[in-house]
Amino acid sequence: MKRMTLWAVLLIALIGVIVCAAMMWRPSIQPLNTPVTADATKIERGARVVEQGDCAVCHTRPGGAYMAGGLPLVTPFGTLYTTNITPDWGTGIGNWPEEAFVRAMRKGVSRDGHFLYPAFPYVHYSRMSDADISDAYAYLMSVDPVQARAPENHMMFPMNFRPLVTFWNLLFLRDDPLVPVAGQSERWNRGRYLVEGAGHCSSCHTPLNFIGGEKSSEHLGGGLVDGWHAPALTGMTQAANPWTPEQLVAYLRGEVAQGHGGAAGPMLPVSLSMAQLPQEDAEAVAEYILSLKADITPPASSCVAASPEPIKPDQREGAALFAGACAGCHGGGAPMRTIDGRPGLSVVSAATSDSPRNLIKTILEGIPLSTRAPSHYMPPFADALDDTHIAALAGYLRGQACAAKPWADLEKTVTTIRHEGEPK
Amino acid sequence: MITLNVNGKDHQLDIDPDMPLLYALRNHLALNGAKYGCGLGQCGACTVMVGDKPVFSCLVPAAAASGKTVRTVEGLGSADKPGPLQAAFIDAQAAQCGYCIAGMIMRAQALIETVPHPSDEQIREHMAPNLCRCGTHMRIFSAIKAVVASGVKP
């Protein structure tokens, strides 16, 4: 009897191993023998899809060749390097048939059968239409091939064992198409398709759980990316400083959004991508996002500065630093405000948000110059101001924007944020 | 009173704490190497070093520079005895109108002090915030490369 139980346990274990192995195995797809070609209209459509998907934002490293990869992505589970998606035969996707590209986009599996890490947002690309994925393939296969191999990933155990991604996929990968919602306008549905599909907005704007999956219960409720707070996209019309469609369209396209700050941090390249797209894409995205309501009115509503707040004694140092370092652009009489119509800092989300993170990040890093759109520019102050000064500055600006709710522990926060992302 | 340590010397200045460092250097210490260009941190003509970092002195309030070591182009050498970078800029005839040069030299100085053998890409990336409207970038670049190649510590 004992013997039989032992055999049964072994048999069940064996079946378990076989089932797991089967789940973790994906076949290789036969490589192409000859390069593919496509007609110019299809390639042009694909260029638009690839821009909507922000592919180049991750697959081009600063100073590197277009789509040749090599950008490090620091995740809680280790560092990944983006891959070369130019049609180079040996190091890119030159020998990938369309079938392999579709599988990567929809299932997160590479041509040779290995699992791709979910930093590649296939959980969102899987919701795209067949036509868009096919066009994106045609475009990517038409860009200049570049020979470049991505550096080795440094993932920690056990996530360095790629087949485990199969279990992650069971939890987070859905590939049912986005069916248009009846009763909503065509533009709203188009916006939803762009936001939830190619645009993969929730990759940054939804909080992640401990295994790096999006918390579906807090969809688009705000997240953290590269040390920047990605604000909630829900309730943007309910905020203390509500957004209009015109403002959001301008913001999304890297232009001046009257009454709001400009795109910075990881959102800057996204806005530069959107600036390349027809305005109707940004209009659709704005219509969908502004229709998303938050459950409660955000408490930020107490942050309404009707008139300049009196400067408290402990804010005098910050006020002097503002006058010397910031007022040339952000002061009331600065040309950036009087000519360009940019708002004062007391209404921008970086100053009215519950967290000082984005204000501190912007002061430290500035906003880099870009040649792709009118965009914004701010010099970095990391080397010019120390943590005490930045804390004083942030304290003063917060006092002007939201006197009722001062930020606590500013100097410590500045020090922490300054050293985040540094090699340990 | 604000205390500024500039080129190794302490100065007590009766100035407002919000005065940009550039104005203190030029108007109160007669150090006119650093230039006022845009006043917005976009051109780099005002670049000096605070500690071991290059900064736009038009955007550094004097109060923020107090207690730190400030270095300007005057601290690297004189017309009679130019420092290595200054000599290399003269040899390469890197100045046309010259307005950007003090800032260029100070930014290059900061690079060579922290990265003794920068690559061409590192030099280009590091120097990018400083503009030259005359277009002598290639001469500026070759002057910096000459100092790097010579191995002389500027």
Side-chain angles (χ1 to χ4, degrees), chain A residues 160-252:
Chain A
N160 54 359
F161 183 61
R162 284 180 182 265
L164 289 181
V165 174
T166 197
F167 300 107
W168 192 94
N169 288 345
L170 278 181
L171 297 171
F172 301 108
L173 176 60
R174 49 189 293 206
D175 55 1
D176 52 315
L178 281 160
V179 182
V181 175
Q184 292 285 1
S185 72
E186 202 176 304
R187 189 159 71 175
W188 183 93
N189 273 303
R190 168 91 179 141
R192 173 169 170 258
Y193 172 74
L194 289 173
V195 166
E196 309 290 357
H200 64 283
C201 305
S202 65
S203 289
C204 296
H205 288 276
T206 296
L208 301 182
N209 60 27
F210 73 103
I211 48 169
E214 291 171 23
K215 291 183 184 166
S216 53
S217 58
E218 295 173 51
H219 187 60
L220 297 176
L224 192 69
V225 56
D226 294 345
W228 292 75
H229 174 58
L233 303 186
T234 52
M236 288 179 73
T237 55
Q238 299 153 278
N241 182 11
W243 289 74
T244 67
E246 295 72 27
Q247 289 168 340
L248 189 53
V249 167
Y251 174 90
L252 287 169

Side-chain angles (χ1 to χ4, degrees), chain B residues 29-49:
Chain B
L29 297 172
L31 295 168
N32 292 307
K35 300 288 187 283
Y36 182 93
C38 64
L40 302 169
Q42 296 185 4
C43 76
C46 66
T47 304
V48 302
M49 288 175 70

